[in-house]
């Protein structure tokens, strides 16, 4: 096997993996799309199985923009969920630290005594 045979083999391997990746991505998008009903999903799947290249090209032309929008929305949702989780874990101070912080706010005049009592009760409730 010469070096050129290796490059040709590598090129065709790259093409095969790329096509497989695109087919899988389109099939996943078909099943994740809430706007398609069951019959439409079944027809797209049959089309992808029997005429894969034509089906992928038509799908990307017809539904490529909404595919990207769904992917971006899912990414934003996962990022927001992760950020919320990080905030909930990182923001857990001990009740004594929360009461101490509320006392400093009361002493500085930033909160009223009733607000201080509410903050203190909230801190004690989370303990």
């Amino acid at each position: 096997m010469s070096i050129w045979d290796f490059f040709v083999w590598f090129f065709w391997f790259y093409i095969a993996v790329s096509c497989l990746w695109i087919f899988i991505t389109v099939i996943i998008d078909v099943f994740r799309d809430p706007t398609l009903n069951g019959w439409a999903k079944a027809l797209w799947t049959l089309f992808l199985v029997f005429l894969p290249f034509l089906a992928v090209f038509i799908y990307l032309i017809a539904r490529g923009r909404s595919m990207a929008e769904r992917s971006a929305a899912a990414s934003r949702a996962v990022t927001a969920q992760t950020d919320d989780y990080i905030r909930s874990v990182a923001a857990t101070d001990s009740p004594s630290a929360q009461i101490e912080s509320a006392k400093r706010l009361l002493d500085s005049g930033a909160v009223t005594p009733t607000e201080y009592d509410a903050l203190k009760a909230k801190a004690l409730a989370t303990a």
Side-chain angles (χ1 to χ4, degrees):
M1 177 183 253
S2 70
I3 189 73
W4 295 112
D5 290 336
F6 174 75
F7 283 131
V8 169
W9 177 84
F10 187 76
F11 171 76
W12 286 112
F13 181 76
Y14 169 76
I15 295 296
V17 169
S18 298
C19 288
L20 188 62
W21 184 269
I22 292 169
F23 295 148
I24 290 171
T25 303
V26 169
I27 288 173
I28 288 171
D29 187 66
V30 165
F31 284 102
R32 285 187 179 171
D33 187 2
T35 62
L36 290 177
N37 62 17
W39 287 105
K41 290 178 184 185
L43 288 174
W44 273 112
T45 303
L46 285 174
F47 194 33
L48 284 165
V49 168
F50 290 112
L51 297 170
F53 291 104
L54 181 62
V56 165
F57 290 137
I58 291 173
Y59 190 86
L60 291 176
I61 290 169
R63 302 180 56 82
R65 178 170 295 166
S66 62
M67 185 177 173
E69 290 169 356
R70 281 188 298 278
S71 177
S75 177
R76 282 191 301 271
V78 167
T79 302
Q81 216 173 23
T82 302
D83 290 346
D84 290 343
Y85 172 73
I86 290 171
R87 276 191 216 98
S88 72
V89 172
T92 55
D93 291 337
S94 66
S96 60
Q98 291 177 358
I99 294 171
E100 181 182 349
S101 174
K103 180 66 173 156
R104 277 194 306 256
L105 290 172
L106 177 65
D107 292 341
S108 71
V111 296
T112 64
T114 56
E115 291 172 329
Y116 168 73
D117 291 336
L119 289 171
K120 188 167 104 173
K122 182 179 174 187
L124 291 173
T126 60

